[in-house]
Amino acid sequence: MKIGFSTSVIQRGKTGIAQYVLSLLRAFADQVQSERFYLFVLEEDQHFFSGLGDRFEIILVPEKYRPPIRNILWHQTILPGIARRLELDVLHIPSYRRLLGRRPCPLVATIHDLAPFRVSGKYDPARTFYGRVVVKHLARRQDEIITVSQNTAQDMQECFRIGKNKVRVIYNGIDHSRFSPRNPEESRAAVAQKFRLVKPFFLYVARLEHPGKNHRRLIEAFERFKEESGSDWQLAFGGSDWHGADLIHARIAESAYSSHIRALGFVSNEDLPTLYSAAEAFVYPSLYEGFGLPPLEAMACGCPVISSARGSLGEVVGDAAWIVDPEDVEDICDALLKLHSEPKSRTALVQKGLVHAQEFSWERAARETLAVYRMACEKQSHQAPRARESNLPGLDSVPLSHK
C-alpha cells in the first residue's frame, strides 16, 4: 500500500497537531511491513522527519507554499496531480485546514476539533467562515474521517451532518518513553536553573491564546489564591504566543502578583517532562479542546491535574483529574487552594493519573490508523470505478522534489 501523508500543518513543530503528526509517524515506523509512505514536507521542516527508515520517502514542498493561503492552494491544485503521478493508494491529510476537494485516490482526514463552531472569537471572520462553511463541504468529500475523541465525532454529526459510518474515533497517545515520573528533587533543580522557577509552582502548558485557552481567568484565580493562602507558590505558563497573547501579557503585567507569574515561552520536547515532574500541580482550564494532550502528559509524569471538562476534556481525563468550571474563577481558586493545602488529595490524583495515562499509546493509535487506510482502499475497490478527474493545466509538469 502506497500512503501519502501531508505534514505542512506542523507549524515548525510547535503545536498539538505537530505532536500528533510526528508521534504517529514514529509509531508507524515500528509497524509498517509492506506499506510505503510518501511524506509531503516543507523544505525547512525536513529535519523533523529524519530517522524514520527506508519505508518513508520525503517529497519536499517549496517554502513559498508555507503561508496558509498558498498552502491551501497547493493542497487543492498541485497535490492531487502529484498523488496521481505517484499512484497513491490512499492520502492522509491530518488537519481540517487542508482537506482536499479533489479525489486523486481514497482520502483519509483527521479532524481534531470543530472549534470554529464552539469557541466564539477564536478566529477572525475569514478563518471562521473557512472552518464553518468551506470545511463542511470538503469533509463530505473524504472517504474516511478520523476524530481524536467521541466529542469531536459527535460534533461532526451535529455540525457537518456526517454519519457515523464515515467517522472513526482514534484517541491520541502518549510517548511513555518520554513522559514518565522523574526524580522530583532533580527536576526542581533543573527547572530552577533553566527557567528560574525557584518556588513551588502551578503549571499550565498551552499556547498563549485568548480567549480559548482561558489564561486570564486562571490569572484571576491565582490572585485570589495568593490573597487567601499567603503562599509563595508561583504560576508558570509554557507555550508560544498566539492570537490574543498581547492581552495575556498585559494581564500579567497589571497583576499585583506579576512577579509570581512567569511566561516561559515555547517549551521544548526535551524540557517538558522535567517541567511536569517539577510542578506541584498542572492546571488546564481550557474553554474547549478536541482532545487535550498536556493533562495526560502531566499525569504520566506523576503530576496531579486540575482540568476543565469542556469539549473532549471530560472524556479524556476521566476521573483522574480535579474537574473545575473554567468560567467560574472561584471554582478554579478553590481547586488551587485544596491542592495546595491537602497533600493527600495531591497524592490520590497522582496515583489515579498514572493509571489513567497508561490507557493511551501511539502504538495503538498507529495500528488503528493503518486499519482505516485499509478500509478506505477496500471501500474504493468495492465501488464502481470513478472517472479519472482531469488535472488543472500544467499540473503534470510539476516536478517532484525528493530528499
Side-chain angles (χ1 to χ4, degrees), residues 351-366:
Q351 296 305 315
K352 284 185 176 182
L354 288 170
V355 173
H356 184 68
Q358 291 300 316
E359 298 178 14
F360 299 85
S361 77
W362 286 115
E363 291 74 21
R364 173 200 49 75

Side-chain angles (χ1 to χ4, degrees), residues 296 299 303-306 316-323 348-357:
L296 290 178
M299 289 178 185
C303 183
V305 172
I306 299 168
V316 170
V317 303
D319 65 352
W322 193 301
I323 301 297
L349 283 178
V350 167
Q351 296 305 315
K352 284 185 176 182
L354 288 170
V355 173
H356 184 68

